[in-house]
Amino acid sequence: MILIGRNLSPFVRRVALWCAHQGRKIERRELTVAGDDFIEIGKHNPVARVPILILDDGTHLIETFAICDYLEQTAPEGLRLIPSSGAERVECLQRLALANSTAEKIVAMVYEKVRRPVEFQWQSWQDRLDRQIAGGLSVLDQTAEGRRDEYDGGDLAMIIAYHFAEAATPFLLEPGYPHLRDMANRAMDWPGVTETMPAV
């Protein structure tokens, strides 16, 4: 299988870590939508977004949730990252959804504060994003306090959001999120985490 996209994207990285956990061999094509690769990415996804996972039979899968759903359905026994049913599944998916939403807002902050020229930046929009991100990180931090043993897909999404903020927008972590930080540090021992650390 071939995974298109860079580790700086929290959505690409989630697919990469899902594959690492399940022992799937993937080829990486670290293309970025922000540069000259945009046209090439558009050949694989009509809206030119990453991640894209190309299966061995040539099928192109897009969007992180859909790709990870495929990986869950085809996972080897004992290597699924989301419980199959019940309250545990709901709880895991809620952590994953909150972490994903937080990462989406961090991406929006990158575009607004890092990539947009200063004269075109919108301060009230940045303030709104900052409040949304802080809200997400605060709840993720509280959640991380009680999670110390095994990990699941929700935990992967949580540490991905933290590492992404750390790499792309470290000022967002200034309030301090000690439990989430500790979880992210412990996660360095999980499959694929060290190898996929994001870099700007």
Side-chain angles (χ1 to χ4, degrees), residues 43-176:
K43 295 176 182 177
H44 300 282
N45 179 349
V47 295
R49 284 167 50 108
V50 293
I52 303 159
L53 186 66
I54 305 176
L55 305 185
D56 292 337
D57 65 3
T59 300
H60 285 51
L61 302 181
I62 63 171
E63 295 299 327
T64 313
F65 275 106
I67 294 171
C68 289
D69 182 69
Y70 166 82
L71 295 174
E72 284 291 281
Q73 289 187 54
T74 59
E77 188 65 31
L79 292 178
R80 291 188 178 90
L81 281 159
I82 298 175
S84 60
S85 63
E88 289 184 347
R89 178 180 176 85
V90 173
E91 191 274 337
C92 174
L93 287 174
Q94 285 301 296
R95 279 186 289 110
L96 199 161
L98 179 59
N100 184 75
S101 297
T102 304
E104 286 179 342
K105 294 304 175 181
I106 297 171
V107 169
M109 183 68 88
V110 169
Y111 278 100
E112 175 63 26
K113 192 173 179 68
V114 178
R115 293 188 177 165
R116 193 184 303 279
V118 174
E119 62 269 26
F120 298 121
Q121 291 183 14
W122 184 7
Q123 187 59 53
S124 62
W125 178 243
Q126 289 183 28
D127 293 343
R128 181 185 179 96
L129 290 173
D130 189 66
R131 180 174 178 177
Q132 291 174 298
I133 294 164
L137 290 173
S138 293
V139 175
L140 292 175
D141 186 63
Q142 295 167 23
T143 304
E145 183 177 10
R147 299 195 60 79
R148 295 197 168 272
D149 298 323
E150 297 180 2
Y151 66 90
D152 61 18
D155 297 315
L156 283 184
M158 289 168 67
I159 64 103
I160 287 169
Y162 184 88
H163 284 155
F164 177 49
E166 191 174 47
T169 54
F171 60 90
L172 293 173
L173 299 178
E174 289 176 2

Side-chain angles (χ1 to χ4, degrees), residues 17-33:
L17 291 184
W18 224 277
C19 289
H21 169 79
Q22 295 179 346
R24 300 176 187 266
K25 295 184 183 296
I26 56 173
E27 174 186 334
R28 297 297 305 273
R29 292 188 188 167
E30 297 194 29
L31 306 180
T32 172
V33 297

